[in-house]
Amino acid sequence: MKKKVYFHALKTDLVKNSNNKLFLAILIALIIGVTMGGIVHYKYPESTVTFSENIKLLGTIFIRLVQMIIAPLVFCTLVVGIAKMGDMKMVGRVGAKAMIWFITASLVSLLIGMVLVNWTAPGESTNITLAETTSASDLLNQTSAFSLEVFINHVVPRSVFESFAQNEILQIVIFSIFFGVALSTLGKEGDLVISFLDKTSKVVLKMVGYIMWVAPLGVLGAVAAAVANYGFEVFTLYAHYLLAFMAGIAVLWIVLLTVGYIILGKRLWELLQRLKTPILIAFSTTSSEAVFPKMVEELEAFGCQPKIVSFTLPLGYSFNLDGSMMYMTFASLFIAQIYDIHMPIEKQLTMLLVLMLTSKGVAGVPRASLIVIVATCSMFGIPPEGIALILPIDHFCDMARSMTNVLGNGLSTAAIDKWESKREENLLTNS
């Protein structure tokens, strides 16, 4: 027994040291990326485009490696989680708790963005020209007004193979829930399938460990390309915008961490220690999706039940993007301020509710936040081409909102797991 405890402790220490080394490697890559990008932008401006396109490929390789395993990981873990729950009442209960958390967190995030942009009014003190809007042409072409048809098309899969091929997480979740529920009704006949998917998910998680060591190169490429393109002057030009946005992110973090501390107590700091690497990767690569597999690994290592993690986390990636939600109200109203368009409070609250719906209709779409902002601006009489005004700084804002998305999903999963664990303990005590 003592040997088992010793080897478990040794394994935990090795994993912890490995995570610390990865965290340090990513930090070093971040610094090198900023330095390289700065040198190219200021010393060799004629090479900026070529350098950015080439160095960005490092980030593309990392993101594509992660995307390669997201669909099988979501499917295997979610199906196994539901099948092992057995009790469909538990599936419904956990799903209901998750959705209540997600809706509440989304509304709070949207409200924080609305309050901050009205209070600081960065659009009234940011000196940017309204003339150049051609950079937004691609986004404008991608955007269609929100409708029930758009929402249904994005939620209900037409073909599970198409959903897997395009990494449509929400659609994969829908199919996995149906598959898992059906599998759980087979009893012992389904054990072979459950065992196969369980072992497959463990193989995929093993692959996560290998892929994460490519993260420093991905970080270097993404950051170097962004800095080489825009340089550091962009921070001066958008100083008011960035300060107001960062204040909003800080407020949102305080709210999330306060709620997390109320629910988890001192274990919150242990959770943050677990999430530090996923948060840094999301910050550096501007992709919260890129750390989904690592999040599964870290939340299970934190002590969350695999069946809760596999059910709640994929839902969170579709419905619980707190940083992106805050940015949507902030950016939409910022564009209105730039164009000197007055938005009365009742119109802003209506916009908030519309954003709540439209954001769910494009879950999993590349640059989803910007597409939702364009669609919302069109609805409320704000020139949608105004999105071009925030594109130069969007990459850096995306860094902050991506890491906030990761924090929000980590906290929601840990909180729901604690509520379920406490409920099970109470049932055992009373029985």
Side-chain angles (χ1 to χ4, degrees), residues 43-346:
K43 296 288 186 182
Y44 309 100
E46 70 284 353
S47 305
T48 296
V49 175
T50 306
F51 173 82
S52 298
E53 287 178 354
N54 291 330
I55 198 77
K56 195 165 61 175
L57 291 175
L58 292 175
T60 302
I61 290 168
F62 171 64
I63 298 295
R64 289 178 74 90
L65 282 172
V66 174
Q67 288 174 335
M68 174 181 72
I69 60 174
I70 284 177
L73 182 62
V74 170
F75 175 70
C76 292
T77 55
L78 187 49
V79 169
V80 171
I82 292 172
K84 285 186 175 180
M85 279 186 197
D87 180 12
M88 288 305 103
K89 288 182 180 177
M90 184 180 182
V91 175
R93 188 175 62 249
V94 172
K97 287 177 181 175
M99 292 311 297
I100 290 169
W101 177 292
F102 299 159
I103 291 169
T104 304
S106 294
L107 285 172
V108 169
S109 303
L110 288 164
L111 199 58
I112 289 172
M114 190 185 87
V115 170
L116 259 293
V117 78
N118 278 291
W119 181 42
T120 56
E124 296 173 10
S125 49
T126 302
N127 300 316
I128 54 178
T129 176
L130 298 174
E132 182 55 51
T133 57
T134 54
S135 58
S137 56
D138 289 343
L139 277 172
L140 294 173
N141 292 334
Q142 287 182 57
T143 306
S144 59
F146 174 76
S147 67
L148 185 60
E149 183 184 1
V150 171
F151 180 76
I152 295 298
N153 287 342
H154 220 80
V155 172
V156 182
R158 175 173 51 188
S159 161
V160 67
F161 299 105
E162 182 183 44
S163 303
F164 270 69
Q166 297 182 4
N167 269 329
E168 291 276 5
I169 292 180
L170 185 53
Q171 293 183 5
I172 295 169
V173 167
I174 297 296
F175 175 78
S176 302
I177 290 172
F178 275 99
F179 194 96
V181 169
L183 186 60
S184 67
T185 63
L186 295 179
K188 289 186 177 180
E189 290 181 16
D191 287 350
L192 189 63
V193 178
I194 294 171
S195 177
F196 171 74
L197 292 176
D198 194 20
K199 286 181 171 60
T200 302
S201 68
K202 286 175 182 174
V203 172
V204 176
L205 283 172
K206 194 74 176 173
M207 291 170 66
V208 171
Y210 306 144
I211 292 171
M212 282 302 125
W213 282 104
V214 185
L217 289 176
V219 167
L220 189 151
V223 173
V227 175
N229 272 328
Y230 299 111
F232 300 116
E233 301 96 343
V234 72
F235 298 111
T236 307
L237 183 61
Y238 285 87
H240 294 100
Y241 180 80
L242 279 172
L243 286 172
F245 173 67
M246 291 305 168
I249 288 290
V251 171
L252 184 52
W253 270 63
I254 290 168
V255 171
L256 289 171
L257 292 176
T258 301
V259 173
Y261 187 79
I262 291 169
I263 297 169
L264 300 173
K266 291 182 180 178
R267 287 208 75 203
L268 173 66
W269 314 123
E270 184 187 341
L271 177 64
L272 291 176
Q273 182 69 16
R274 288 280 174 194
L275 295 181
K276 69 177 184 181
T277 301
I279 285 173
L280 183 59
I281 294 172
F283 173 80
S284 307
T285 61
T286 69
S287 174
S288 50
E289 187 185 63
V291 297
F292 176 86
K294 185 69 174 172
M295 287 282 284
V296 173
E297 187 182 87
E298 293 296 347
L299 286 166
E300 289 184 4
F302 174 69
C304 295
Q305 300 172 74
K307 60 186 179 183
I308 301 295
V309 174
S310 62
F311 185 72
T312 308
L313 196 59
L315 284 177
Y317 266 74
S318 296
F319 293 103
N320 189 42
L321 303 175
D322 300 329
S324 297
M325 299 301 284
M326 195 224 83
Y327 186 70
M328 287 176 196
T329 43
F330 186 92
S332 300
L333 293 172
F334 170 79
I335 295 169
Q337 290 175 359
I338 288 287
Y339 281 96
D340 199 23
I341 296 170
H342 176 64
M343 296 282 287
I345 190 67
E346 62 273 11

